[in-house]
mmCIF file with all atom_site columns, all heavy atoms in Angstrom:
data_model
loop_
_atom_site.group_PDB
_atom_site.id
_atom_site.type_symbol
_atom_site.label_atom_id
_atom_site.label_alt_id
_atom_site.label_comp_id
_atom_site.label_asym_id
_atom_site.label_entity_id
_atom_site.label_seq_id
_atom_site.pdbx_PDB_ins_code
_atom_site.Cartn_x
_atom_site.Cartn_y
_atom_site.Cartn_z
_atom_site.occupancy
_atom_site.B_iso_or_equiv
_atom_site.pdbx_formal_charge
_atom_site.auth_seq_id
_atom_site.auth_comp_id
_atom_site.auth_asym_id
_atom_site.auth_atom_id
_atom_site.pdbx_PDB_model_num
ATOM 1   N N   . MET A 1 1  ? 0.838   -1.206  0.000   1.00 79.00 ? 1  MET A N   1
ATOM 2   C CA  . MET A 1 1  ? 0.000   0.000   0.000   1.00 79.00 ? 1  MET A CA  1
ATOM 3   C C   . MET A 1 1  ? 0.874   1.258   0.000   1.00 79.00 ? 1  MET A C   1
ATOM 4   O O   . MET A 1 1  ? 0.587   2.225   -0.724  1.00 79.00 ? 1  MET A O   1
ATOM 5   C CB  . MET A 1 1  ? -0.926  -0.010  1.215   1.00 79.00 ? 1  MET A CB  1
ATOM 6   C CG  . MET A 1 1  ? -2.016  -1.068  1.169   1.00 79.00 ? 1  MET A CG  1
ATOM 7   S SD  . MET A 1 1  ? -3.012  -1.100  2.680   1.00 79.00 ? 1  MET A SD  1
ATOM 8   C CE  . MET A 1 1  ? -3.671  0.559   2.691   1.00 79.00 ? 1  MET A CE  1
ATOM 9   N N   . MET A 1 2  ? 1.926   1.259   0.792   1.00 79.00 ? 2  MET A N   1
ATOM 10  C CA  . MET A 1 2  ? 2.811   2.419   0.848   1.00 79.00 ? 2  MET A CA  1
ATOM 11  C C   . MET A 1 2  ? 3.571   2.603   -0.464  1.00 79.00 ? 2  MET A C   1
ATOM 12  O O   . MET A 1 2  ? 3.766   3.728   -0.948  1.00 79.00 ? 2  MET A O   1
ATOM 13  C CB  . MET A 1 2  ? 3.793   2.264   2.010   1.00 79.00 ? 2  MET A CB  1
ATOM 14  C CG  . MET A 1 2  ? 3.130   2.240   3.380   1.00 79.00 ? 2  MET A CG  1
ATOM 15  S SD  . MET A 1 2  ? 4.287   1.944   4.730   1.00 79.00 ? 2  MET A SD  1
ATOM 16  C CE  . MET A 1 2  ? 5.325   3.393   4.581   1.00 79.00 ? 2  MET A CE  1
ATOM 17  N N   . ALA A 1 3  ? 3.988   1.485   -1.086  1.00 77.00 ? 3  ALA A N   1
ATOM 18  C CA  . ALA A 1 3  ? 4.697   1.586   -2.366  1.00 77.00 ? 3  ALA A CA  1
ATOM 19  C C   . ALA A 1 3  ? 3.766   2.048   -3.476  1.00 77.00 ? 3  ALA A C   1
ATOM 20  O O   . ALA A 1 3  ? 4.186   2.750   -4.406  1.00 77.00 ? 3  ALA A O   1
ATOM 21  C CB  . ALA A 1 3  ? 5.316   0.237   -2.707  1.00 77.00 ? 3  ALA A CB  1
ATOM 22  N N   . ALA A 1 4  ? 2.499   1.646   -3.396  1.00 75.00 ? 4  ALA A N   1
ATOM 23  C CA  . ALA A 1 4  ? 1.544   2.035   -4.443  1.00 75.00 ? 4  ALA A CA  1
ATOM 24  C C   . ALA A 1 4  ? 1.305   3.539   -4.456  1.00 75.00 ? 4  ALA A C   1
ATOM 25  O O   . ALA A 1 4  ? 0.911   4.095   -5.488  1.00 75.00 ? 4  ALA A O   1
ATOM 26  C CB  . ALA A 1 4  ? 0.231   1.286   -4.238  1.00 75.00 ? 4  ALA A CB  1
ATOM 27  N N   . ARG A 1 5  ? 1.529   4.207   -3.343  1.00 75.00 ? 5  ARG A N   1
ATOM 28  C CA  . ARG A 1 5  ? 1.353   5.659   -3.318  1.00 75.00 ? 5  ARG A CA  1
ATOM 29  C C   . ARG A 1 5  ? 2.422   6.370   -4.146  1.00 75.00 ? 5  ARG A C   1
ATOM 30  O O   . ARG A 1 5  ? 2.192   7.491   -4.626  1.00 75.00 ? 5  ARG A O   1
ATOM 31  C CB  . ARG A 1 5  ? 1.409   6.161   -1.880  1.00 75.00 ? 5  ARG A CB  1
ATOM 32  C CG  . ARG A 1 5  ? 0.265   5.673   -1.004  1.00 75.00 ? 5  ARG A CG  1
ATOM 33  C CD  . ARG A 1 5  ? 0.422   6.225   0.406   1.00 75.00 ? 5  ARG A CD  1
ATOM 34  N NE  . ARG A 1 5  ? -0.667  5.781   1.279   1.00 75.00 ? 5  ARG A NE  1
ATOM 35  C CZ  . ARG A 1 5  ? -0.771  6.118   2.562   1.00 75.00 ? 5  ARG A CZ  1
ATOM 36  N NH1 . ARG A 1 5  ? 0.165   6.911   3.112   1.00 75.00 ? 5  ARG A NH1 1
ATOM 37  N NH2 . ARG A 1 5  ? -1.778  5.684   3.281   1.00 75.00 ? 5  ARG A NH2 1
ATOM 38  N N   . GLU A 1 6  ? 3.578   5.747   -4.332  1.00 71.00 ? 6  GLU A N   1
ATOM 39  C CA  . GLU A 1 6  ? 4.691   6.382   -5.020  1.00 71.00 ? 6  GLU A CA  1
ATOM 40  C C   . GLU A 1 6  ? 4.771   6.007   -6.500  1.00 71.00 ? 6  GLU A C   1
ATOM 41  O O   . GLU A 1 6  ? 5.341   6.745   -7.290  1.00 71.00 ? 6  GLU A O   1
ATOM 42  C CB  . GLU A 1 6  ? 6.008   6.005   -4.328  1.00 71.00 ? 6  GLU A CB  1
ATOM 43  C CG  . GLU A 1 6  ? 6.072   6.354   -2.858  1.00 71.00 ? 6  GLU A CG  1
ATOM 44  C CD  . GLU A 1 6  ? 6.001   7.836   -2.599  1.00 71.00 ? 6  GLU A CD  1
ATOM 45  O OE1 . GLU A 1 6  ? 6.357   8.621   -3.506  1.00 71.00 ? 6  GLU A OE1 1
ATOM 46  O OE2 . GLU A 1 6  ? 5.570   8.225   -1.493  1.00 71.00 ? 6  GLU A OE2 1
ATOM 47  N N   . VAL A 1 7  ? 4.222   4.838   -6.848  1.00 71.00 ? 7  VAL A N   1
ATOM 48  C CA  . VAL A 1 7  ? 4.308   4.355   -8.233  1.00 71.00 ? 7  VAL A CA  1
ATOM 49  C C   . VAL A 1 7  ? 2.899   4.258   -8.806  1.00 71.00 ? 7  VAL A C   1
ATOM 50  O O   . VAL A 1 7  ? 2.103   3.422   -8.343  1.00 71.00 ? 7  VAL A O   1
ATOM 51  C CB  . VAL A 1 7  ? 5.020   2.982   -8.289  1.00 71.00 ? 7  VAL A CB  1
ATOM 52  C CG1 . VAL A 1 7  ? 5.137   2.505   -9.738  1.00 71.00 ? 7  VAL A CG1 1
ATOM 53  C CG2 . VAL A 1 7  ? 6.388   3.075   -7.648  1.00 71.00 ? 7  VAL A CG2 1
ATOM 54  N N   . PRO A 1 8  ? 2.559   5.079   -9.796  1.00 70.00 ? 8  PRO A N   1
ATOM 55  C CA  . PRO A 1 8  ? 1.190   5.054   -10.343 1.00 70.00 ? 8  PRO A CA  1
ATOM 56  C C   . PRO A 1 8  ? 0.814   3.701   -10.927 1.00 70.00 ? 8  PRO A C   1
ATOM 57  O O   . PRO A 1 8  ? -0.337  3.252   -10.780 1.00 70.00 ? 8  PRO A O   1
ATOM 58  C CB  . PRO A 1 8  ? 1.224   6.143   -11.417 1.00 70.00 ? 8  PRO A CB  1
ATOM 59  C CG  . PRO A 1 8  ? 2.353   7.042   -11.019 1.00 70.00 ? 8  PRO A CG  1
ATOM 60  C CD  . PRO A 1 8  ? 3.370   6.157   -10.376 1.00 70.00 ? 8  PRO A CD  1
ATOM 61  N N   . GLU A 1 9  ? 1.754   3.042   -11.608 1.00 68.00 ? 9  GLU A N   1
ATOM 62  C CA  . GLU A 1 9  ? 1.426   1.754   -12.212 1.00 68.00 ? 9  GLU A CA  1
ATOM 63  C C   . GLU A 1 9  ? 1.060   0.722   -11.143 1.00 68.00 ? 9  GLU A C   1
ATOM 64  O O   . GLU A 1 9  ? 0.126   -0.069  -11.306 1.00 68.00 ? 9  GLU A O   1
ATOM 65  C CB  . GLU A 1 9  ? 2.606   1.249   -13.052 1.00 68.00 ? 9  GLU A CB  1
ATOM 66  C CG  . GLU A 1 9  ? 2.888   2.066   -14.302 1.00 68.00 ? 9  GLU A CG  1
ATOM 67  C CD  . GLU A 1 9  ? 3.654   3.336   -13.997 1.00 68.00 ? 9  GLU A CD  1
ATOM 68  O OE1 . GLU A 1 9  ? 4.026   3.529   -12.805 1.00 68.00 ? 9  GLU A OE1 1
ATOM 69  O OE2 . GLU A 1 9  ? 3.875   4.137   -14.920 1.00 68.00 ? 9  GLU A OE2 1
ATOM 70  N N   . LEU A 1 10 ? 1.798   0.709   -10.047 1.00 69.00 ? 10 LEU A N   1
ATOM 71  C CA  . LEU A 1 10 ? 1.490   -0.211  -8.952  1.00 69.00 ? 10 LEU A CA  1
ATOM 72  C C   . LEU A 1 10 ? 0.189   0.172   -8.269  1.00 69.00 ? 10 LEU A C   1
ATOM 73  O O   . LEU A 1 10 ? -0.565  -0.689  -7.815  1.00 69.00 ? 10 LEU A O   1
ATOM 74  C CB  . LEU A 1 10 ? 2.641   -0.215  -7.936  1.00 69.00 ? 10 LEU A CB  1
ATOM 75  C CG  . LEU A 1 10 ? 2.493   -1.175  -6.742  1.00 69.00 ? 10 LEU A CG  1
ATOM 76  C CD1 . LEU A 1 10 ? 2.333   -2.610  -7.212  1.00 69.00 ? 10 LEU A CD1 1
ATOM 77  C CD2 . LEU A 1 10 ? 3.694   -1.044  -5.805  1.00 69.00 ? 10 LEU A CD2 1
ATOM 78  N N   . ARG A 1 11 ? -0.102  1.478   -8.225  1.00 70.00 ? 11 ARG A N   1
ATOM 79  C CA  . ARG A 1 11 ? -1.347  1.940   -7.623  1.00 70.00 ? 11 ARG A CA  1
ATOM 80  C C   . ARG A 1 11 ? -2.550  1.394   -8.393  1.00 70.00 ? 11 ARG A C   1
ATOM 81  O O   . ARG A 1 11 ? -3.555  0.994   -7.801  1.00 70.00 ? 11 ARG A O   1
ATOM 82  C CB  . ARG A 1 11 ? -1.373  3.453   -7.575  1.00 70.00 ? 11 ARG A CB  1
ATOM 83  C CG  . ARG A 1 11 ? -2.570  4.018   -6.796  1.00 70.00 ? 11 ARG A CG  1
ATOM 84  C CD  . ARG A 1 11 ? -2.618  5.534   -6.857  1.00 70.00 ? 11 ARG A CD  1
ATOM 85  N NE  . ARG A 1 11 ? -1.327  6.099   -6.476  1.00 70.00 ? 11 ARG A NE  1
ATOM 86  C CZ  . ARG A 1 11 ? -0.648  6.929   -7.239  1.00 70.00 ? 11 ARG A CZ  1
ATOM 87  N NH1 . ARG A 1 11 ? -1.113  7.291   -8.433  1.00 70.00 ? 11 ARG A NH1 1
ATOM 88  N NH2 . ARG A 1 11 ? 0.521   7.407   -6.844  1.00 70.00 ? 11 ARG A NH2 1
ATOM 89  N N   . GLU A 1 12 ? -2.450  1.376   -9.713  1.00 68.00 ? 12 GLU A N   1
ATOM 90  C CA  . GLU A 1 12 ? -3.558  0.871   -10.520 1.00 68.00 ? 12 GLU A CA  1
ATOM 91  C C   . GLU A 1 12 ? -3.774  -0.626  -10.291 1.00 68.00 ? 12 GLU A C   1
ATOM 92  O O   . GLU A 1 12 ? -4.907  -1.094  -10.187 1.00 68.00 ? 12 GLU A O   1
ATOM 93  C CB  . GLU A 1 12 ? -3.284  1.149   -11.997 1.00 68.00 ? 12 GLU A CB  1
ATOM 94  C CG  . GLU A 1 12 ? -3.249  2.631   -12.347 1.00 68.00 ? 12 GLU A CG  1
ATOM 95  C CD  . GLU A 1 12 ? -2.896  2.861   -13.808 1.00 68.00 ? 12 GLU A CD  1
ATOM 96  O OE1 . GLU A 1 12 ? -2.719  1.836   -14.513 1.00 68.00 ? 12 GLU A OE1 1
ATOM 97  O OE2 . GLU A 1 12 ? -2.791  4.018   -14.223 1.00 68.00 ? 12 GLU A OE2 1
ATOM 98  N N   . VAL A 1 13 ? -2.671  -1.357  -10.224 1.00 68.00 ? 13 VAL A N   1
ATOM 99  C CA  . VAL A 1 13 ? -2.793  -2.801  -9.982  1.00 68.00 ? 13 VAL A CA  1
ATOM 100 C C   . VAL A 1 13 ? -3.318  -3.079  -8.573  1.00 68.00 ? 13 VAL A C   1
ATOM 101 O O   . VAL A 1 13 ? -4.180  -3.940  -8.364  1.00 68.00 ? 13 VAL A O   1
ATOM 102 C CB  . VAL A 1 13 ? -1.430  -3.495  -10.191 1.00 68.00 ? 13 VAL A CB  1
ATOM 103 C CG1 . VAL A 1 13 ? -1.521  -4.981  -9.857  1.00 68.00 ? 13 VAL A CG1 1
ATOM 104 C CG2 . VAL A 1 13 ? -0.954  -3.297  -11.622 1.00 68.00 ? 13 VAL A CG2 1
ATOM 105 N N   . TRP A 1 14 ? -2.794  -2.339  -7.598  1.00 71.00 ? 14 TRP A N   1
ATOM 106 C CA  . TRP A 1 14 ? -3.200  -2.558  -6.214  1.00 71.00 ? 14 TRP A CA  1
ATOM 107 C C   . TRP A 1 14 ? -4.664  -2.196  -5.993  1.00 71.00 ? 14 TRP A C   1
ATOM 108 O O   . TRP A 1 14 ? -5.348  -2.840  -5.196  1.00 71.00 ? 14 TRP A O   1
ATOM 109 C CB  . TRP A 1 14 ? -2.304  -1.752  -5.292  1.00 71.00 ? 14 TRP A CB  1
ATOM 110 C CG  . TRP A 1 14 ? -2.705  -1.862  -3.847  1.00 71.00 ? 14 TRP A CG  1
ATOM 111 C CD1 . TRP A 1 14 ? -3.293  -0.936  -3.073  1.00 71.00 ? 14 TRP A CD1 1
ATOM 112 C CD2 . TRP A 1 14 ? -2.558  -3.022  -3.015  1.00 71.00 ? 14 TRP A CD2 1
ATOM 113 N NE1 . TRP A 1 14 ? -3.523  -1.409  -1.818  1.00 71.00 ? 14 TRP A NE1 1
ATOM 114 C CE2 . TRP A 1 14 ? -3.076  -2.698  -1.754  1.00 71.00 ? 14 TRP A CE2 1
ATOM 115 C CE3 . TRP A 1 14 ? -2.021  -4.293  -3.227  1.00 71.00 ? 14 TRP A CE3 1
ATOM 116 C CZ2 . TRP A 1 14 ? -3.079  -3.603  -0.707  1.00 71.00 ? 14 TRP A CZ2 1
ATOM 117 C CZ3 . TRP A 1 14 ? -2.036  -5.194  -2.176  1.00 71.00 ? 14 TRP A CZ3 1
ATOM 118 C CH2 . TRP A 1 14 ? -2.560  -4.851  -0.935  1.00 71.00 ? 14 TRP A CH2 1
ATOM 119 N N   . ALA A 1 15 ? -5.163  -1.195  -6.700  1.00 68.00 ? 15 ALA A N   1
ATOM 120 C CA  . ALA A 1 15 ? -6.558  -0.791  -6.535  1.00 68.00 ? 15 ALA A CA  1
ATOM 121 C C   . ALA A 1 15 ? -7.514  -1.913  -6.903  1.00 68.00 ? 15 ALA A C   1
ATOM 122 O O   . ALA A 1 15 ? -8.621  -2.009  -6.349  1.00 68.00 ? 15 ALA A O   1
ATOM 123 C CB  . ALA A 1 15 ? -6.846  0.454   -7.372  1.00 68.00 ? 15 ALA A CB  1
ATOM 124 N N   . ASP A 1 16 ? -7.117  -2.785  -7.828  1.00 67.00 ? 16 ASP A N   1
ATOM 125 C CA  . ASP A 1 16 ? -8.002  -3.868  -8.262  1.00 67.00 ? 16 ASP A CA  1
ATOM 126 C C   . ASP A 1 16 ? -8.066  -5.011  -7.252  1.00 67.00 ? 16 ASP A C   1
ATOM 127 O O   . ASP A 1 16 ? -9.069  -5.726  -7.177  1.00 67.00 ? 16 ASP A O   1
ATOM 128 C CB  . ASP A 1 16 ? -7.534  -4.405  -9.619  1.00 67.00 ? 16 ASP A CB  1
ATOM 129 C CG  . ASP A 1 16 ? -7.670  -3.369  -10.725 1.00 67.00 ? 16 ASP A CG  1
ATOM 130 O OD1 . ASP A 1 16 ? -8.536  -2.481  -10.583 1.00 67.00 ? 16 ASP A OD1 1
ATOM 131 O OD2 . ASP A 1 16 ? -6.901  -3.441  -11.713 1.00 67.00 ? 16 ASP A OD2 1
ATOM 132 N N   . ILE A 1 17 ? -7.002  -5.206  -6.508  1.00 75.00 ? 17 ILE A N   1
ATOM 133 C CA  . ILE A 1 17 ? -6.963  -6.352  -5.590  1.00 75.00 ? 17 ILE A CA  1
ATOM 134 C C   . ILE A 1 17 ? -7.080  -5.962  -4.126  1.00 75.00 ? 17 ILE A C   1
ATOM 135 O O   . ILE A 1 17 ? -7.249  -6.832  -3.261  1.00 75.00 ? 17 ILE A O   1
ATOM 136 C CB  . ILE A 1 17 ? -5.668  -7.163  -5.799  1.00 75.00 ? 17 ILE A CB  1
ATOM 137 C CG1 . ILE A 1 17 ? -4.449  -6.322  -5.428  1.00 75.00 ? 17 ILE A CG1 1
ATOM 138 C CG2 . ILE A 1 17 ? -5.564  -7.669  -7.222  1.00 75.00 ? 17 ILE A CG2 1
ATOM 139 C CD1 . ILE A 1 17 ? -3.143  -7.087  -5.474  1.00 75.00 ? 17 ILE A CD1 1
ATOM 140 N N   . ALA A 1 18 ? -6.977  -4.676  -3.819  1.00 75.00 ? 18 ALA A N   1
ATOM 141 C CA  . ALA A 1 18 ? -6.991  -4.253  -2.409  1.00 75.00 ? 18 ALA A CA  1
ATOM 142 C C   . ALA A 1 18 ? -8.301  -4.599  -1.735  1.00 75.00 ? 18 ALA A C   1
ATOM 143 O O   . ALA A 1 18 ? -8.323  -5.081  -0.588  1.00 75.00 ? 18 ALA A O   1
ATOM 144 C CB  . ALA A 1 18 ? -6.716  -2.755  -2.315  1.00 75.00 ? 18 ALA A CB  1
ATOM 145 N N   . SER A 1 19 ? -9.418  -4.347  -2.433  1.00 74.00 ? 19 SER A N   1
ATOM 146 C CA  . SER A 1 19 ? -10.726 -4.617  -1.820  1.00 74.00 ? 19 SER A CA  1
ATOM 147 C C   . SER A 1 19 ? -10.961 -6.098  -1.574  1.00 74.00 ? 19 SER A C   1
ATOM 148 O O   . SER A 1 19 ? -11.825 -6.468  -0.767  1.00 74.00 ? 19 SER A O   1
ATOM 149 C CB  . SER A 1 19 ? -11.837 -4.063  -2.723  1.00 74.00 ? 19 SER A CB  1
ATOM 150 O OG  . SER A 1 19 ? -11.743 -4.636  -4.021  1.00 74.00 ? 19 SER A OG  1
ATOM 151 N N   . PHE A 1 20 ? -10.198 -6.960  -2.249  1.00 76.00 ? 20 PHE A N   1
ATOM 152 C CA  . PHE A 1 20 ? -10.328 -8.402  -2.038  1.00 76.00 ? 20 PHE A CA  1
ATOM 153 C C   . PHE A 1 20 ? -9.358  -8.904  -0.967  1.00 76.00 ? 20 PHE A C   1
ATOM 154 O O   . PHE A 1 20 ? -9.682  -9.801  -0.191  1.00 76.00 ? 20 PHE A O   1
ATOM 155 C CB  . PHE A 1 20 ? -10.071 -9.134  -3.365  1.00 76.00 ? 20 PHE A CB  1
ATOM 156 C CG  . PHE A 1 20 ? -10.278 -10.622 -3.291  1.00 76.00 ? 20 PHE A CG  1
ATOM 157 C CD1 . PHE A 1 20 ? -11.541 -11.172 -3.379  1.00 76.00 ? 20 PHE A CD1 1
ATOM 158 C CD2 . PHE A 1 20 ? -9.190  -11.476 -3.118  1.00 76.00 ? 20 PHE A CD2 1
ATOM 159 C CE1 . PHE A 1 20 ? -11.731 -12.547 -3.298  1.00 76.00 ? 20 PHE A CE1 1
ATOM 160 C CE2 . PHE A 1 20 ? -9.368  -12.848 -3.048  1.00 76.00 ? 20 PHE A CE2 1
ATOM 161 C CZ  . PHE A 1 20 ? -10.653 -13.374 -3.145  1.00 76.00 ? 20 PHE A CZ  1
ATOM 162 N N   . VAL A 1 21 ? -8.150  -8.298  -0.934  1.00 82.00 ? 21 VAL A N   1
ATOM 163 C CA  . VAL A 1 21 ? -7.114  -8.778  -0.019  1.00 82.00 ? 21 VAL A CA  1
ATOM 164 C C   . VAL A 1 21 ? -7.306  -8.227  1.394   1.00 82.00 ? 21 VAL A C   1
ATOM 165 O O   . VAL A 1 21 ? -7.117  -8.948  2.383   1.00 82.00 ? 21 VAL A O   1
ATOM 166 C CB  . VAL A 1 21 ? -5.719  -8.398  -0.557  1.00 82.00 ? 21 VAL A CB  1
ATOM 167 C CG1 . VAL A 1 21 ? -4.630  -8.752  0.455   1.00 82.00 ? 21 VAL A CG1 1
ATOM 168 C CG2 . VAL A 1 21 ? -5.455  -9.092  -1.875  1.00 82.00 ? 21 VAL A CG2 1
ATOM 169 N N   . LEU A 1 22 ? -7.686  -6.963  1.512   1.00 83.00 ? 22 LEU A N   1
ATOM 170 C CA  . LEU A 1 22 ? -7.791  -6.338  2.835   1.00 83.00 ? 22 LEU A CA  1
ATOM 171 C C   . LEU A 1 22 ? -8.783  -7.057  3.754   1.00 83.00 ? 22 LEU A C   1
ATOM 172 O O   . LEU A 1 22 ? -8.473  -7.284  4.937   1.00 83.00 ? 22 LEU A O   1
ATOM 173 C CB  . LEU A 1 22 ? -8.154  -4.860  2.678   1.00 83.00 ? 22 LEU A CB  1
ATOM 174 C CG  . LEU A 1 22 ? -7.033  -3.960  2.144   1.00 83.00 ? 22 LEU A CG  1
ATOM 175 C CD1 . LEU A 1 22 ? -7.528  -2.526  1.993   1.00 83.00 ? 22 LEU A CD1 1
ATOM 176 C CD2 . LEU A 1 22 ? -5.823  -4.003  3.058   1.00 83.00 ? 22 LEU A CD2 1
ATOM 177 N N   . PRO A 1 23 ? -10.003 -7.423  3.289   1.00 84.00 ? 23 PRO A N   1
ATOM 178 C CA  . PRO A 1 23 ? -10.888 -8.178  4.197   1.00 84.00 ? 23 PRO A CA  1
ATOM 179 C C   . PRO A 1 23 ? -10.286 -9.501  4.656   1.00 84.00 ? 23 PRO A C   1
ATOM 180 O O   . PRO A 1 23 ? -10.483 -9.906  5.809   1.00 84.00 ? 23 PRO A O   1
ATOM 181 C CB  . PRO A 1 23 ? -12.148 -8.401  3.346   1.00 84.00 ? 23 PRO A CB  1
ATOM 182 C CG  . PRO A 1 23 ? -12.123 -7.321  2.329   1.00 84.00 ? 23 PRO A CG  1
ATOM 183 C CD  . PRO A 1 23 ? -10.683 -7.098  2.023   1.00 84.00 ? 23 PRO A CD  1
ATOM 184 N N   . ALA A 1 24 ? -9.549  -10.179 3.768   1.00 85.00 ? 24 ALA A N   1
ATOM 185 C CA  . ALA A 1 24 ? -8.924  -11.441 4.157   1.00 85.00 ? 24 ALA A CA  1
ATOM 186 C C   . ALA A 1 24 ? -7.882  -11.226 5.246   1.00 85.00 ? 24 ALA A C   1
ATOM 187 O O   . ALA A 1 24 ? -7.792  -12.000 6.210   1.00 85.00 ? 24 ALA A O   1
ATOM 188 C CB  . ALA A 1 24 ? -8.298  -12.105 2.932   1.00 85.00 ? 24 ALA A CB  1
#
């Protein structure tokens, strides 16, 4: 999450899986 704030490409990828991974 912290790295995604600095890299836009990683932010886009993380946005798709964050809502699935965080509840787990």
